[in-house]
Amino acid sequence: MIEKLTEYSQNGRYPFHMPGHKRRKNLLEAVDPFGVDITEIEGFDNLHHAEGLLKDCMDFARTFYGTKKTWFLVNGSTCGLLAAIAATTEIGETVLIGRNCHKAVYHGALLRNLKVEYVYPSYISKYGICGGYDPDEIDRMMSENPKIKVVVLTSPTYDGIVSDIKKIAEIVHRHQGVLIVDEAHGAHFCLFENGPKPAYQLGADLVIESLHKTLPALTQTAVLHNMSDAVSEGKIEQALSIFETSSPSYILMGSIDHCIRFMKENGKEEMKKLLCLIRKLREEKFRVIQMPGKELIGRDGVYDVDETKLLFSVPGGELSGFELADRLRRSFEFEMEMAAPSYALGISTICDSKEGLEGLFDAIKAVDDTLENRCDSLQDFSLDRNEVRYSVYETGKLECETVELKDAEGRISAEFVYFYPPGIPLIVPGEVISKAVMEKVLFGKDRGAQVNGLADREARCIRVVK
């Protein structure tokens, strides 16, 4: 493994993928990880009972962010989401979940045996991506189901679409509810002067951010912010002690602290430089390839757009997103974050070089010059409103059998099915497998999407309720 990692780091391929430090060793002064890898020894505190060094570091973070409390997470945003859901719900309660939430949110519902209602984001058919949530829809659903007291949403999306969290928070609080926001892809929002604002500044109660996705921090690093008087900090810490390792890496915790101090000293200035360059590069107009941007604001539930997410869409099917990403990799030495049937996505951060960003746009221009200007419609990849027969928890207690994926239409799924990335379930256990969703799964699989969630690693079979 180490040899393979070393080889990749030296192959010259430029990373437009996580982690956000973009392999810049100077950010941690090239510290030898073995030399600083310790456990809870005298003078270094304990993450789950912080009284000294780690308490001081988390207090610094709280002051920097302006929150009531900020916890360091070394199990990624996943453990923050699980802890937030566990701390705000009782077993068997009803929650409202954004249907495009990450699989970790569904796992949280499973562990608490929660009854789930879904709010669906809009769909931007031009690019084949999810839009934002409609605040009025959330208001209606909470009015019709007063049992809903916890709402879990994702903003921004993997593709950089931001919902109107301020308005949504006001609605949730009017219904005496708690709003949890998965802001994993928006940890850099605190550095914007003119751009999306962090959810913890807009009224959200609990906000989870992945530092490693868009900031100079090591993989698995994240933070959980509390801005609520209605959520018990004791319950959050109890949940974190369950879902987070009891042997947290001091290297990762040091990376979190270093990242936050780096942001305080240099972050806003570096973000200003990055946005200036990206906005200039975005002025480049391609013949066929398209890039969504600020023009999306005001429709399809889009309240704002994160310009640092570089989404290159190829309409008409002449070149799939997987083929575009492969061409960028093989011909131009750029590794993208993810690919989908109709687009490839790159993540830019304050650690990107001017040469790297300009090189990517030059490569896109070169690919674009080889394409014909076709206007065929895109495959519909909106999230289907699957019929729900059982909760995820209930489904796990039923007798199941295995059938071929192509023959599963009309059966009740006993497994999750999702493309990874981004990890958003197309099918959830307990849902009826419709023809429409089956076609999406097979379409994506045929074009190279990585189908996850199935026990069958080759994604040929699926477990269903017998």
Side-chain angles (χ1 to χ4, degrees), residues 112-127:
R112 303 294 284 177
N113 188 18
L114 300 175
K115 298 178 179 65
V116 177
E117 297 289 336
Y118 294 120
V119 58
Y120 284 76
S122 62
Y123 180 65
I124 305 174
S125 58
K126 181 177 181 180
Y127 300 110

Side-chain angles (χ1 to χ4, degrees), residues 97-259:
I97 290 177
R99 190 59 175 80
N100 61 331
C101 279
H102 185 265
K103 60 178 181 174
V105 174
Y106 294 83
H107 293 161
L110 165 63
L111 292 171
R112 303 294 284 177
N113 188 18
L114 300 175
K115 298 178 179 65
V116 177
E117 297 289 336
Y118 294 120
V119 58
Y120 284 76
S122 62
Y123 180 65
I124 305 174
S125 58
K126 181 177 181 180
Y127 300 110
I129 62 175
C130 288
Y133 304 107
D134 180 357
D136 292 335
E137 176 73 0
I138 294 172
D139 192 11
R140 181 190 65 77
M141 294 184 74
M142 295 190 76
S143 296
E144 293 178 355
N145 193 341
K147 290 183 178 181
I148 296 173
K149 294 303 177 187
V150 175
V151 178
V152 189
L153 304 177
T154 296
S155 179
T157 66
Y158 214 121
D159 307 310
I161 300 300
V162 181
S163 293
D164 189 350
I165 295 300
K166 186 174 187 296
K167 186 173 182 180
I168 292 171
E170 291 170 352
I171 289 168
V172 172
H173 293 155
R174 191 169 70 244
H175 290 280
Q176 289 78 52
V178 170
L179 176 61
I180 300 171
V181 176
D182 178 356
E183 197 169 70
H185 282 271
H188 57 303
F189 282 6
C190 62
L191 303 180
F192 286 145
E193 288 186 359
N194 297 301
K197 296 255 187 286
Y200 55 81
Q201 293 180 6
L202 300 173
D205 296 282
L206 297 178
V207 180
I208 299 91
E209 297 182 322
S210 288
L211 301 188
H212 73 95
K213 285 181 168 61
T214 57
L215 290 170
L218 295 174
T219 299
Q220 280 188 220
T221 56
V223 288
L224 167 59
H225 303 297
N226 181 24
M227 289 295 286
S228 176
D229 293 325
V231 182
S232 164
E233 289 188 0
K235 284 188 175 181
I236 295 173
E237 291 182 345
Q238 181 185 39
L240 285 173
S241 72
I242 295 170
F243 295 112
E244 190 163 31
T245 177
S246 61
S247 300
S249 164
Y250 278 79
I251 298 171
L252 295 182
M253 292 186 290
S255 174
I256 295 172
D257 182 56
H258 190 277
C259 175

